[in-house]
Amino acid sequence: MDFSSSVASQLHAGTILPEGIVIITLMTILVGDLIFGRSSSRWLPYVAMFGLFNSIVALFFQWNNPNAIAFLGSFSGDNLSIVFRGIVVLSAMVTIPMSIRYIQQSGTSLAEFIAIMLTATTGGMFLCGANELTMVFISLEMLSISSYLMTGYMKRDPRSNEAALKYLLIGAASSAIFLYGMSLLYGLSGGETNLNIIATKITAINGTQSLGLAISLVFIIAGIAFKISAVPFHQWTPDVYEGSPTPVVAFLSVGSKAAGFALAIRLLVTAFGSMTEQWHFIFTALAILSMVLGNVVALAQTSIKRMLAYSSIAQAGFVMIGLIAGTDNGYSSMIFYLFIYLFMNLGAFTCIILFSLRTGTDQISEYAGLYQKDPLLTLCLSICLLSLGGIPPMAGFFGKIYLFWAGWQAGLYGLVLLGLITSVISIYYYIRVVKMMVVKEPQEMSESVKNYPAINWKLAGMRPLQASLIFATVVTSLAGILSNPLFTLSANSVNSTPILRSAIITQEITQSTIQVSSVEDLIN
Amino acid sequence: MNLAEGVQIVSFGILAVMMIGTALGVVLLPKIVHSAFLLAGVFISISGLYILLNADFVAAAQILVYVGAVNVLILFAIMLVNKQEDYVELPGRTIRKVATGVVCFGLFALLGTMVLATPWSLSTTSPSVVDNTVIALGEHFFSDYLLPFELASVLLLMAMVGAIILARRDLIPESMADENTVTTGLTLPERPRELARLGSEEQDS
Amino acid sequence: MQLEYFLLLAAALFCIGIYGLITSRNAVRVLMSIELMLNAVNLNLVGFSNYLDPENIRGQVFTVFVITVAAAEAAVGLAIVLAIYRNRNTIDMEQFNLLKW
């Protein structure tokens, strides 16, 4: 096989330029750290942010790429993947400034941490566009293994070790189960690994009813549900969130989850297009359990990191409504909500990092009376939490409304009503924190707040933290009112993605044939 | 049945019994060192099965990577954490084991039914159509599997760096010259829950 | 020789792996059980590759990737086990209760 003529011309390697930029940044950081030693931690985070920013710019220029299918079908750079890759990169870009101070204060090496985080970002980005079983597996493992490493990064802290061990064991087990499902898919399709070819072959060989296909679907959903921490597969989430360094939690709750949703859309819509009813059914069950359990258990938490862990489980439940709806609006509301969720959740985590850096605790009761000592932190945390709860003028409200509206349009009345009820419950625990901070009298102040250190933004690493705090808060409070560009972006990406187009059209055809047949029944 | 087929079936039988036996030993034996050596048995018998399936390169890779690297790594880990632990028997563990066993057997029954019920679309070509698997695999790695192949290099690099970071013995950094920087000595800045609770109790009394 | 024999064998190995995963108290043994599960998947893939896809042997390519990742995962897992042993002086899964399940 003559490589240069037959293969190289079909690779379209430019499609992975954004990922290439991230990998080059990663190498720069590793080598820079080796050459310049610990002193390099002053400028390395900015190199990383610059690289990630360039990657976003590159993604922007990839929009409507004519050669979307690259590397002979292993990678698909369609607009859907571009949007999800954007979410992953953006979450890493906002996470890095908030980790500088946190990591330095714990005495660990910053450069290595950033390198691992960039690997996770690369893995997440490739996962969003992976169009082939091998590619899905490798990028998923890249994301997972670097997440385990980041979780255990505070290696002298038994909580961090324990969280890493639990995460690794549960994660590796779930990826083995996922892999078993993929191997069945490979066998059932008669030896294909490309998702599009699998989709066509699998219906030709098996029809739509097959025990093998059902088992493979269940195993694959188990793997995906672990990544997005949907309820029966959520046990790791609170432990890992409590035990890991907070910036890692911020990244896991947004970047890793977004990549999981991208994987869910691509894998289920293409390879399991013939079993839409079945996977909608499973996801409905997962969504109901996640919304109920996530919101109810969050009420009882005393640590704010654990509370946000359960809240993130519940939020995943809300996002699943868009996936189950399976319409244009459903998918674009998912993307819209994930964008907003990125900013409000990362904003909330920035506030938690700031508070724990100054007081050394993450207990909710210790936030009492914070308003008197630090109005800025109180304001930002309140805005982000209220937005997570879905209080009207904030961005989170518009995101939730859009999701629920899309679900209602698709006829998921029960699910949407449950979503409304559980989001009312969720407002309670978000408001509880806000009330704790604002309403308390000076004598009710907690010990940590009484000993609150003087606010000094000039310490090393505090400026970027402040910048990312204000950026996230401003976006959270304004994105609701100025949501039009985001809205158009998510709608466009769904409208111009071939895999979703064909899926939606077939669904509409089946629906219309059902309607036609019922009309015929009426006539007869 | 000709001679070749007979040999194949006999060797399949031996390998299958060996694999299942050693695998059961891995999960059931009380001593972890015995399990680790039996794990090597599992890997070797699987490699034999690969040869029966005409996958010679994968069989070699299986022995080199699993037996040569993973298993040795596991043995080293066992030697490094070689404290003799007398596990305190917890009540209800036997019931849990039995229940798990039943569930796993049920899962096996389900998977077995699926395997037997599914009409696999067997290929009509003879399995020996590829006479040199190494060349065929290499062509795949540098054409349609190029991207995952390259990506695996980044994954391995980071797994290596990360494993070293976690396993090396770090000195707790001395507090830096700057007065304002407090380091917590490679631990989370948040206090553990028990300490936090103690702090609040002191303040109550 | 039939494909089904190999698939049944792989299914048995997978179930043994799950049993070990749930019942083991030693963290290293849990890692070994995960290796068993991954090997079951590999056996599946090579079996399919031989009987369904002999021209392209894509299953064997996939298996090589799985072997690579399994080795990386084992290395990271054992590093984490070492780190936790250094801090807690035990690798008993039942003792890891600092974080509530």
Side-chain angles (χ1 to χ4, degrees):
Chain A
M1 193 188 290
D2 187 7
F3 183 79
S4 57
S5 61
S6 66
V7 175
S9 59
Q10 302 169 39
L11 282 184
H12 305 307
T15 315
I16 61 157
L17 180 68
E19 285 83 356
I21 294 175
V22 179
I23 293 178
I24 289 170
T25 318
L26 161 77
M27 290 300 163
T28 319
I29 285 173
L30 276 182
V31 175
D33 183 43
L34 279 179
I35 295 175
F36 299 102
R38 278 227 156 177
S39 64
S40 63
S41 65
R42 209 162 290 138
W43 49 271
L44 278 179
Y46 301 101
V47 174
M49 274 144 67
F50 178 71
L52 290 172
F53 178 74
N54 279 338
S55 168
I56 292 179
V57 172
L59 275 176
F60 179 75
F61 284 110
Q62 297 270 326
W63 192 259
N64 282 334
N65 186 356
N67 302 320
I69 303 288
F71 287 91
L72 305 168
S74 336
F75 189 79
S76 157
D78 50 16
N79 290 347
L80 184 77
S81 84
I82 289 180
V83 171
F84 274 104
R85 281 143 85 196
I87 296 177
V88 175
V89 181
L90 208 57
S91 70
M93 205 173 103
V94 184
T95 312
I96 285 174
M98 63 167 106
S99 58
I100 299 174
R101 176 77 190 171
Y102 191 95
I103 298 295
Q104 279 176 342
Q105 187 154 332
S106 69
T108 39
S109 153
L110 181 63
E112 286 155 358
F113 179 81
I114 290 177
I116 300 175
M117 177 159 282
L118 289 181
T119 321
T121 314
T122 322
M125 289 171 80
F126 276 115
L127 189 59
C128 296
N131 202 24
E132 209 229 343
L133 296 183
T134 332
M135 194 57 209
V136 168
F137 174 64
I138 289 281
S139 44
L140 183 74
E141 285 300 313
M142 203 161 155
L143 176 60
S144 313
I145 289 182
S146 20
S147 311
Y148 311 146
L149 290 171
M150 286 194 288
T151 305
Y153 202 70
M154 301 291 153
K155 56 187 197 180
R156 288 187 62 92
D157 193 307
R159 286 171 296 161
S160 180
N161 299 150
E162 212 178 295
L165 187 66
K166 281 179 183 170
Y167 195 18
L168 177 113
L169 295 179
I170 301 178
S174 88
S175 71
I177 292 173
F178 180 70
L179 207 52
Y180 195 87
M182 288 211 286
S183 79
L184 287 182
L185 208 54
Y186 170 73
L188 289 166
S189 64
E192 296 294 340
T193 55
N194 189 302
L195 292 184
N196 300 330
I197 305 176
I198 287 177
T200 49
K201 278 215 165 179
I202 216 157
T203 33
I205 295 173
N206 300 284
T208 51
Q209 298 295 324
S210 150
L211 181 61
L213 212 50
I215 289 181
S216 141
L217 175 69
V218 170
F219 279 15
I220 281 180
I221 286 183
I224 294 174
F226 165 80
K227 245 327 9 75
I228 59 179
S229 64
V231 154
F233 308 96
H234 72 290
Q235 277 94 347
W236 59 277
T237 319
D239 291 349
V240 170
Y241 277 30
E242 191 185 355
S244 345
T246 319
V248 178
V249 183
F251 179 77
L252 288 182
S253 70
V254 179
S256 163
K257 209 166 255 199
F261 274 112
L263 172 67
I265 294 180
R266 196 170 294 275
L267 203 56
L268 295 175
V269 168
T270 49
F272 290 99
S274 58
M275 301 188 67
T276 313
E277 257 174 58
Q278 284 88 335
W279 69 256
H280 276 187
F281 174 73
I282 299 177
F283 264 94
T284 311
L286 293 181
I288 292 172
L289 288 172
S290 307
M291 287 191 289
V292 171
L293 196 122
N295 281 318
V296 171
V297 181
L299 291 174
Q301 299 305 318
T302 54
S303 151
I304 196 159
K305 275 162 91 176
R306 270 184 104 83
M307 187 197 92
L308 281 178
Y310 282 104
S311 124
S312 88
I313 293 172
Q315 305 278 357
F318 293 137
V319 179
M320 272 185 256
I321 294 180
L323 182 63
I324 301 161
T327 54
D328 269 357
N329 281 321
Y331 294 121
S332 63
S333 68
M334 273 175 83
I335 296 170
F336 184 67
Y337 194 75
L338 280 172
F339 260 115
I340 288 172
Y341 177 66
L342 187 156
F343 289 107
M344 55 196 189
N345 211 30
L346 290 183
F349 274 112
T350 318
C351 298
I352 295 171
I353 289 173
L354 202 53
F355 186 76
S356 63
L357 285 179
R358 285 181 180 157
T359 62
T361 179
D362 62 343
Q363 297 295 307
I364 294 177
S365 54
E366 299 287 323
Y367 280 79
L370 184 63
Y371 177 68
Q372 272 104 358
K373 294 281 178 146
D374 194 344
L376 175 71
L377 182 59
T378 313
L379 178 75
C380 295
L381 186 54
S382 307
I383 287 179
C384 292
L385 288 179
L386 292 179
S387 179
L388 279 168
I391 303 285
M394 311 298 171
F397 170 74
F398 295 95
K400 255 184 204 164
I401 284 292
Y402 188 23
L403 267 177
F404 290 155
W405 178 76
W408 193 267
Q409 291 259 305
L412 308 166
Y413 306 115
L415 210 54
V416 171
L417 280 179
L418 188 75
L420 283 172
I421 295 167
T422 48
S423 48
V424 170
I425 299 175
S426 78
I427 291 173
Y428 173 76
Y429 59 80
Y430 293 122
I431 293 270
R432 190 167 62 122
V433 180
V434 177
K435 204 181 101 198
M436 189 72 94
M437 290 189 296
V438 179
V439 195
K440 295 276 175 181
E441 296 293 315
Q443 61 271 20
E444 287 179 298
M445 236 184 240
S446 71
E447 200 65 13
S448 330
V449 175
K450 274 181 198 155
N451 303 330
Y452 203 74
I455 298 163
N456 183 1
W457 290 108
K458 294 211 175 79
L459 292 176
M462 278 307 220
R463 281 283 166 209
L465 191 61
Q466 188 188 21
S468 99
L469 174 69
I470 292 182
F471 175 62
T473 318
V474 167
V475 174
T476 310
S477 38
L478 293 185
I481 305 152
L482 307 172
S483 60
N484 226 17
L486 264 184
F487 187 79
T488 342
L489 177 76
S490 40
N492 275 346
S493 69
V494 171
N495 285 332
S496 52
T497 301
I499 56 161
L500 294 182
R501 295 272 23 103
S502 55
I504 290 164
I505 287 167
T506 39
Q507 205 177 21
E508 276 165 6
I509 288 171
T510 45
Q511 275 173 358
S512 57
T513 45
I514 291 167
Q515 278 167 0
V516 166
S517 59
S518 56
V519 168
E520 281 170 355
D521 288 343
L522 281 179
I523 294 169
N524 298 333
Chain B
M1 196 200 300
N2 55 17
L3 183 65
E5 242 173 80
V7 169
Q8 274 191 12
I9 287 182
V10 170
S11 44
F12 176 81
I14 294 173
L15 288 170
V17 171
M18 195 167 128
M19 193 193 85
I20 296 292
T22 45
L24 284 174
V26 170
V27 295
L28 295 177
L29 285 188
K31 274 211 161 177
I32 184 82
V33 185
H34 298 167
S35 305
F37 280 108
L38 286 181
L39 191 65
V42 179
F43 292 152
I44 290 172
S45 33
I46 288 183
S47 148
L49 290 171
Y50 288 164
I51 292 175
L52 283 183
L53 288 167
N54 306 307
D56 43 6
F57 176 75
V58 181
Q62 167 89 7
I63 293 203
L64 288 177
V65 177
Y66 271 117
V67 185
V70 174
N71 207 30
V72 172
L73 196 67
I74 288 177
L75 279 172
F76 265 105
I78 292 172
M79 285 193 273
L80 285 172
V81 292
N82 61 351
K83 206 177 90 182
Q84 190 66 48
E85 278 196 76
D86 295 318
Y87 293 131
V88 189
E89 251 334 293
L90 292 175
R93 258 199 87 76
T94 337
I95 303 170
R96 229 168 77 191
K97 273 187 183 172
V98 172
T100 315
V102 171
V103 168
C104 289
F105 194 78
L107 182 67
F108 174 65
L110 179 69
L111 291 178
T113 326
M114 183 270 297
V115 165
L116 296 176
T118 310
W120 302 105
S121 58
L122 294 175
S123 169
T124 45
T125 358
S126 145
S128 52
V129 63
V130 178
D131 52 41
N132 193 337
T133 52
V134 182
I135 293 177
L137 286 178
E139 278 174 358
H140 274 301
F141 281 139
F142 285 99
S143 60
D144 47 351
Y145 291 90
L146 181 65
L147 188 58
F149 185 69
E150 298 296 339
L151 208 54
S153 62
V154 183
L155 170 75
L156 287 178
L157 170 72
M158 202 37 67
M160 190 176 74
V161 172
I164 292 172
I165 293 174
L166 287 187
R168 81 178 161 206
R169 211 175 269 277
D170 255 334
L171 296 173
I172 300 175
E174 290 156 38
S175 57
M176 290 166 212
D178 187 357
E179 278 294 304
N180 294 314
T181 6
V182 247
T183 55
T184 49
L186 310 188
T187 51
L188 294 169
E190 292 93 1
R191 282 192 298 270
R193 219 183 296 153
E194 288 73 25
L195 286 182
R197 204 175 296 141
L198 279 182
S200 57
E201 276 165 13
E202 276 166 23
Q203 155 201 339
D204 291 341
S205 56
Chain C
M1 292 303 286
Q2 279 187 341
L3 172 64
E4 279 82 0
Y5 297 156
F6 289 95
L7 297 184
L8 283 177
L9 207 56
L13 190 60
F14 191 74
C15 295
I16 293 174
I18 290 185
Y19 177 81
L21 181 80
I22 298 174
T23 54
S24 301
R25 290 182 69 171
N26 189 319
V28 178
R29 202 195 297 263
V30 181
L31 279 174
M32 292 200 260
S33 308
I34 290 171
E35 296 298 330
L36 289 184
M37 288 164 75
L38 289 174
N39 269 285
V41 173
N42 282 348
L43 194 53
N44 245 354
L45 284 170
V46 177
F48 284 136
S49 151
N50 187 45
Y51 287 98
L52 310 181
D53 186 22
E55 299 100 345
N56 285 315
I57 54 170
R58 294 202 187 88
Q60 293 189 27
V61 183
F62 204 152
T63 308
V64 173
F65 284 115
V66 178
I67 291 177
T68 317
V69 170
E73 213 162 48
V76 171
L78 292 170
I80 292 175
V81 169
L82 276 190
I84 200 167
Y85 180 74
R86 226 173 256 159
N87 287 329
R88 299 287 308 273
N89 213 15
T90 177
I91 47 169
D92 181 2
M93 295 298 292
E94 303 279 350
Q95 300 282 319
F96 299 147
N97 48 11
L98 278 183
L99 307 165
K100 262 183 296 182
W101 274 98

